[in-house]
Amino acid sequence: QVQPVESGGGSVQAGGSLRLSCAASGYTGSTNCMGWFRQAPGKAREGVASISRSLSTTYADSVKGRFTISRDNAKNALYLQMNSLKPEDTAMYYCAAKSFVCGLWSGYTYWGQGTQVTVSS
């Protein structure tokens, strides 16, 4: 079992930055791929970024060049540095993990409770 716990959300003005963190306790073999997802009110959940244990990354087109995903395998921790934030980035952000390879936004087994990010114009 893996239990991701997110932190670092908050409110920021457009153009600002936030850094999200996720601590994933439990069996590290279940966290080969870790990712960030978000869900805005009235919208479907979408993948934001993912990173494999070998540090290969994938980003949604909407965040490329602005967000950076990273992880610390020794700590089983995941991070998301968000720069140049836009009001459309406002959403609940979730940390997730799966034992399979990255590449698809599906198949994540373990999910955190989420942390709110609000970007005002």
Side-chain angles (χ1 to χ4, degrees):
Q1 289 288 340
V2 174
Q3 181 56 59
V5 178
E6 305 94 338
S7 61
S11 297
V12 65
Q13 289 191 327
S17 298
L18 283 174
R19 185 176 189 246
L20 304 184
S21 299
C22 173
S25 61
Y27 176 51
T28 58
S30 298
T31 58
N32 180 60
C33 181
M34 298 185 75
W36 289 100
F37 291 75
R38 66 186 181 186
Q39 186 168 20
K43 294 188 176 182
R45 186 173 61 196
E46 62 175 353
V48 174
S50 67
I51 185 167
S52 69
R53 185 164 291 276
S54 61
L55 307 183
S56 176
T57 59
T58 302
Y59 294 94
D61 288 342
S62 58
V63 306
K64 282 181 181 176
R66 300 189 298 122
F67 291 10
T68 302
I69 189 171
S70 61
R71 66 186 288 173
D72 184 332
N73 288 329
K75 297 180 179 179
N76 223 21
L78 180 69
Y79 307 98
L80 185 68
Q81 178 66 44
M82 304 185 294
N83 299 328
S84 302
L85 282 161
K86 305 175 181 180
E88 50 264 44
D89 294 318
T90 295
M92 185 71 78
Y93 283 71
Y94 298 91
C95 171
K98 61 179 176 178
S99 59
F100 302 109
V101 297
C102 290
L104 295 177
W105 295 118
S106 60
Y108 285 80
T109 307
Y110 305 102
W111 294 85
Q113 294 298 309
T115 185
Q116 179 68 36
V117 171
T118 302
V119 184
S120 58
S121 57

